[in-house]
Amino acid sequence: SGTGKDGRITKEDILSHLNLASGMDTGDRQIVPSKLPLDTGSRIEERVPLSRLRATVAKRLLQATQTTAMLTTFNEVNMAPIIEIRNRYKDDFEKAHDGVRLGFMSFFVRASVEALKRYPAVNASLDGDDMIYHGYQDISVAIGSPRGLVTPVLRNADNMGLAEIESQIRDFGGKAKDGKLTIDDMKGGTFTISNGGVYGSLLSTPI
């Protein structure tokens, strides 16, 4: 039974119970404030400092929502020709390029590069009252890591072939897994390709 009004359980009641359950007097130990039950009942929260990476990502996401006109559009694409090409050449490709596998992402990167050349405004960025048109395509590619989804940048992707794209994505994946990606690796992309499929998504609209 609680000591609060009408027998309600208070925060002090819970603290006393936790201390008694551990066999200690109230003065013997101190519960970490970040793990205290809140006024909303018995729900518990834990406060953990953000890593430098997550803090930077959070800041950039907030900036993106505040400074861009966001919309989502979906279009169907016939992937049959790409699937056929990949199935036909993937084994020869892997042998010719020292174990680098031919995936779909390299096709997506090359398709994006060609589209950005045709529609340079999509590849542009805003700086104050100026619009900057980039004469290059630096493609950010989403990669899952133990610390969350990260987007390292393929610099000058317009000058890269399929094998070079796949090789660099593989290298980024290894660095992400080992926690060795730097902020510079993820800075300055002009266009981003995400991949919600690895999480079982049919469609996704990431920031």
Side-chain angles (χ1 to χ4, degrees), residues 9-11 13-15 17-18 29 31-48:
I9 297 174
T10 66
K11 181 166 65 175
D13 293 332
I14 294 175
L15 289 175
H17 174 75
L18 290 175
R29 74 168 184 158
I31 305 298
V32 179
S34 64
K35 296 183 180 181
L36 289 179
L38 302 179
D39 294 337
T40 50
S42 60
R43 296 186 300 171
I44 296 176
E45 291 184 349
E46 181 179 357
R47 184 180 296 272
V48 179

Side-chain angles (χ1 to χ4, degrees), residues 50-59 146-148:
L50 284 174
S51 65
R52 181 167 174 259
L53 172 63
R54 289 204 170 195
T56 301
V57 170
K59 181 179 178 181
R147 295 193 294 172

Side-chain angles (χ1 to χ4, degrees), residues 3 14 40 42 51 69 77 82 105 123 140 153 156 180 184 202:
T3 59
I14 294 175
T40 50
S42 60
S51 65
V77 177
I82 300 299
M105 192 59 75
N123 194 52
S140 300
V153 181
N156 297 310
K180 295 181 178 179
D184 288 336
L202 177 63

Side-chain angles (χ1 to χ4, degrees), residues 114-156:
E114 296 307 315
L116 293 172
K117 289 179 180 178
R118 296 186 187 187
Y119 303 98
V122 180
N123 194 52
S125 60
L126 295 173
D127 184 13
D129 294 329
D130 299 325
M131 191 166 184
I132 302 175
Y133 291 91
H134 306 287
Y136 50 86
Q137 290 77 37
D138 286 351
I139 308 297
S140 300
V141 178
I143 294 176
S145 78
R147 295 193 294 172
L149 198 66
V150 292
T151 54
V153 181
L154 299 170
R155 311 285 177 190
N156 297 310

